[in-house]
Amino acid sequence: MLRTKDATQNLFDDWAKTYTEDLQNAAGPLFGYKHSLEEACKMIQLSKGSTLLDVGIGTGAFAASLSDEGNEVWGIDLSENMLKECKKRYPTYILHQGTFTEPGLKDKIESFDVIASSFCFHEVLPDERQTACEKMYTLLKPDGKFLVLDIMFASQSAMNNARKQIGHYWDSTENYPLVQTLDEMLRHVGFKHISWKNTGPFHWAFSAQK
Ligand SMILES: C[S@@+](CC[C@H](N)C(=O)[O-])C[C@H]1O[C@@H](n2cnc3c(N)ncnc32)[C@H](O)[C@@H]1O
């Protein structure tokens, strides 16, 4: 059975304090976390002065790798405790509690040059994923870019093989997206110039333009 939103919030609220340290040697579906972050970062370049929104920002690792002091960084997350840890590390970031499907940010329509997200999209329930992509589309400036890195698989058989490989670390309360399904959804929402990169044994990233 898939994890509920409340259970996910509790999980990350409880994990927040040790999350960054624990991910130094990530196991299970997050194996190769650091390498995948580096590879996904190479897929886009933020120009000076551009505005970034990181969705599911956690403790800030992806936003920090993508941006420098010339960028304005916004972050939203379901977990208040993850946001607190993020604020300790990156005091200049503008942080709000929010989710992929309910980001808030009502006065930020067409405001972001880039929306990025790492290891969070799979937390959105499958029947809410199109709404999530639509919300992100709305928040992006015209020609803005959407960059997502996550636990994803090229096919159902690739996912089955990964499940065998990962063994007891496999998390049956999560539903990982398939590349083709997500690619079709992005096109349906209106994204163009979609490109995919396999960043690790269990990870894919895409960049897409509004
Ligand atoms: C595995 S962590 C990834 C954090 C960070 N992006 C990273 O790469 O280290 C997933 C994060 O997504 C948040 N989250 C879970 N579901 C979410 C949702 N629907 N919308 C926004 N954030 C969510 C969690 O609270 C957590 O901080």
Side-chain angles (χ1 to χ4, degrees), residues 8 14 34 41 79 98 159:
T8 300
D14 292 345
K34 271 178 84 175
C41 277
S79 157
M159 193 176 330

Side-chain angles (χ1 to χ4, degrees), residues 12 76 79-80 82 97 132 173-174 179 193 207:
F12 285 103
I76 57 171
S79 157
E80 225 176 301
M82 290 294 261
Q97 202 169 13
T173 66
E174 299 191 327
V179 167
H193 307 310
S207 74

Side-chain angles (χ1 to χ4, degrees), residues 37 41 47 77 86 94 97 100 107 118 125 127 129 131 133 144 146 148 162 179:
L37 279 188
C41 277
S47 47
D77 200 286
C86 187
I94 304 157
Q97 202 169 13
F100 256 114
D107 55 347
S118 56
L125 295 173
D127 61 355
R129 286 178 185 162
T131 305
C133 292
F146 189 27
V148 172
V179 167

Side-chain angles (χ1 to χ4, degrees), residues 69-84:
E69 62 278 4
N71 302 117
E72 183 176 286
V73 179
W74 289 63
I76 57 171
D77 200 286
L78 173 66
S79 157
E80 225 176 301
N81 288 353
M82 290 294 261
L83 290 171
K84 278 185 197 152

Side-chain angles (χ1 to χ4, degrees), residues 122-196:
H122 69 272
E123 303 284 4
V124 182
L125 295 173
D127 61 355
E128 295 181 352
R129 286 178 185 162
Q130 187 171 320
T131 305
C133 292
E134 286 164 357
K135 297 270 175 169
M136 298 304 114
Y137 193 88
T138 309
L139 291 169
L140 279 170
K141 285 182 186 172
D143 293 330
K145 290 205 175 131
F146 189 27
L147 174 69
V148 172
L149 165 67
D150 207 352
I151 303 156
M152 297 194 235
F153 296 95
S155 63
Q156 190 57 51
S157 70
M159 193 176 330
N160 295 342
N161 288 340
R163 185 184 291 134
K164 279 189 207 138
Q165 218 180 317
I166 288 171
H168 73 276
Y169 281 115
W170 186 263
D171 186 346
S172 305
T173 66
E174 299 191 327
N175 174 290
Y176 304 121
L178 291 178
V179 167
Q180 196 184 337
T181 312
L182 190 47
D183 188 273
E184 282 165 12
M185 190 181 288
L186 290 165
R187 285 173 207 280
H188 181 77
V189 169
F191 283 102
K192 56 194 181 191
H193 307 310
I194 303 165
S195 70
W196 288 89

